[in-house]
Amino acid sequence: GKEVLLLMQALNTLSTPEEKLAALCKKYADLLEESRNVQKQMKILQKKQAQVVKEKVHLQSEHSKAILARSKLESLCRELQRHNKTLKVRNIQLARDEEEKRKEATAHFQITLNEIEAQLEQHGIHNAKLRQENIELGEKLKKLIEQYALREEHIDKVFKHKELQQQLVDAKLQQTTQLIKEAEEKHQREREFLLKEATESRHKCEQMKQQEAQLKQQLSLYMDKFEEFQTTMAKSNELFTTFRQEMEKMTKKIKKLEKETIVWRTKWENNNKALLQMAEEKTVRDKEYKGFQIKLERLEKLCRALQTERNELNEKVE
């Protein structure tokens, strides 16, 4: 409403209708330039969204690789646990066998006692080595698990950053749609203003036609009076001269009114032409706006698909 009032005030400051039409054309050109800038911003945002989608696919591939590495590490941990269990069972079995041999040897062969003790010492050294190896493997697994946790934190941070970028893109899309809507409202207001001016000019033209008919009636009356005065011309020359002067004035007024009617008729025709051009341009604008709506719907579908994919990925990661 404020913009329309400012536009009407600016047009009222102008004197001629040609200047008003020129100002309106300039305003329409500015609006067209704004719509072109909005289209450029839409293309830039579409490029940014495509880049975000590529980065998201890359991050998904990295995340799948990390999941594969995690599964491999888990399988290695299971194998190590199995190996430790088998080693414990072996050690227990060996200890039992050695104990039985030792009992049998002490009962029957006291001489082989030293040899059995030596073998037990060797097995103890071997078991100590195995325990040391198990401790080292456990530390390595702890380090790998810590590295994997750090990697997951990094991936979560990157996902959050991409989500913020997606929200920024959505906000910019909403802003562009709002700008398109405002431009359409401005165009509608200017069209209504031009229609109002055209109706006013048409009304003025009809008034001028009515005045012309009234003046013609007055002229016919004056002609009748002039014929009446011709009969009495010999009696009053002074009255004839005054009447002649009045007739000349009336003819001048009629000529002036005819010129004004011609000017108003040309203005009315020019306004009609301008209205037809505005209607054609509005149809073009409507087509462009429909194209924008289709593009926006496609972008919204893509955003929904990306959000669903992101939700599915989050569920898989959890």
Side-chain angles (χ1 to χ4, degrees), residues 18-19 27 50 57 97 110 148 155 190 249 283 288 306:
E18 288 82 5
E19 291 178 352
K27 185 71 178 175
V57 171
D97 293 335
Q110 186 69 32
Y148 183 72
I155 289 166
E190 288 179 355
K249 288 179 181 179
T283 54
E288 290 179 355
L306 289 170

Side-chain angles (χ1 to χ4, degrees), residues 5 32 67 79 83 121 138 142 146 173 194 205 225-226:
L5 289 171
L32 186 62
I67 290 166
E79 286 178 359
H83 186 64
E121 286 176 359
K142 284 181 181 178
E146 288 175 357
L173 283 170
L194 287 171
C205 184
K225 288 180 181 180
F226 179 71

Side-chain angles (χ1 to χ4, degrees), residues 234-257:
K235 295 179 182 178
S236 58
N237 288 322
E238 294 178 354
L239 291 170
F240 177 74
T241 53
T242 55
F243 183 74
R244 188 175 180 181
Q245 289 176 358
E246 287 179 358
M247 283 290 293
E248 287 175 355
K249 288 179 181 179
M250 290 301 296
T251 53
K252 287 179 181 179
K253 285 183 180 179
I254 288 165
K255 287 179 181 179
K256 187 176 180 181
L257 288 169

Side-chain angles (χ1 to χ4, degrees), residues 287-312:
K287 289 179 181 178
E288 290 179 355
Y289 182 69
K290 286 179 181 177
F292 278 126
Q293 283 182 344
I294 291 164
K295 288 179 181 178
L296 285 170
E297 287 175 356
R298 289 178 182 173
L299 286 171
E300 286 176 355
K301 287 179 181 178
L302 285 171
C303 289
R304 290 193 192 99
L306 289 170
Q307 286 178 358
T308 52
E309 286 179 359
R310 181 172 59 80
N311 291 322
E312 289 176 356

Side-chain angles (χ1 to χ4, degrees), residues 67-282:
I67 290 166
L68 289 171
R70 185 179 179 181
S71 63
K72 287 180 181 179
L73 287 170
E74 286 176 355
S75 63
L76 286 170
C77 289
R78 291 190 192 97
E79 286 178 359
L80 286 168
Q81 287 176 359
R82 288 174 187 172
H83 186 64
N84 287 324
K85 286 179 181 179
T86 53
L87 286 172
K88 285 179 181 178
V89 171
R90 276 184 191 176
N91 289 325
I92 291 164
Q93 189 66 35
L94 286 169
R96 286 176 182 174
D97 293 335
E98 292 297 330
E99 186 67 27
E100 288 176 358
K101 286 179 182 179
R102 189 179 64 79
K103 286 178 181 179
E104 289 174 359
T106 53
H108 297 284
F109 305 103
Q110 186 69 32
I111 299 165
T112 58
L113 182 61
N114 293 323
E115 293 177 356
I116 290 166
E117 286 177 357
Q119 287 179 1
L120 285 169
E121 286 176 359
Q122 288 178 1
H123 285 296
I125 292 163
H126 184 66
N127 288 326
K129 287 181 180 179
L130 289 171
R131 288 193 194 94
Q132 188 65 31
E133 286 178 357
N134 287 328
I135 291 164
E136 289 176 358
L137 287 169
E139 288 176 356
K140 287 181 180 178
L141 283 171
K142 284 181 181 178
K143 288 180 180 179
L144 288 170
I145 289 163
E146 288 175 357
Q147 288 178 0
Y148 183 72
L150 291 171
R151 181 71 175 171
E152 282 186 344
E153 287 179 358
H154 178 68
I155 289 166
D156 290 330
K157 286 179 181 178
V158 172
F159 268 112
K160 287 179 182 178
H161 181 66
K162 294 300 175 185
E163 285 177 359
L164 289 171
Q165 285 183 352
Q166 187 68 34
Q167 289 176 2
L168 182 63
V169 170
D170 292 334
K172 287 182 179 179
L173 283 170
Q174 289 177 0
Q175 189 177 4
T176 52
T177 53
Q178 187 66 30
L179 288 170
I180 291 165
K181 189 175 180 182
E182 288 177 359
E184 188 68 22
E185 288 175 357
K186 286 180 182 178
H187 184 69
Q188 186 67 28
R189 289 169 187 167
E190 288 179 355
R191 184 173 177 275
E192 289 175 358
F193 180 71
L194 287 171
L195 287 169
K196 188 177 180 181
E197 276 195 348
T199 52
E200 287 177 359
S201 62
R202 195 181 289 116
H203 184 65
K204 286 180 181 178
C205 184
E206 288 175 357
Q207 287 179 356
M208 294 298 291
K209 284 180 180 179
Q210 290 176 1
Q211 288 179 1
E212 185 180 3
Q214 289 176 1
L215 289 170
K216 283 181 180 178
Q217 289 176 2
Q218 288 180 2
L219 181 63
S220 63
L221 290 171
Y222 281 123
M223 289 294 289
D224 293 331
K225 288 180 181 180
F226 179 71
E227 288 175 358
E228 290 175 0
F229 279 123
Q230 278 182 348
T231 56
T232 58
M233 193 192 306
K235 295 179 182 178
S236 58
N237 288 322
E238 294 178 354
L239 291 170
F240 177 74
T241 53
T242 55
F243 183 74
R244 188 175 180 181
Q245 289 176 358
E246 287 179 358
M247 283 290 293
E248 287 175 355
K249 288 179 181 179
M250 290 301 296
T251 53
K252 287 179 181 179
K253 285 183 180 179
I254 288 165
K255 287 179 181 179
K256 187 176 180 181
L257 288 169
E258 284 177 354
K259 288 179 181 178
E260 287 180 356
T261 53
I262 290 164
V263 169
W264 281 107
R265 192 178 287 117
T266 54
K267 287 180 180 179
W268 180 68
E269 289 174 356
N270 290 323
N271 285 322
N272 283 325
K273 288 179 182 178
L275 283 170
L276 290 170
Q277 289 178 357
M278 291 292 286
E280 291 175 355
E281 289 176 355
K282 187 180 181 298

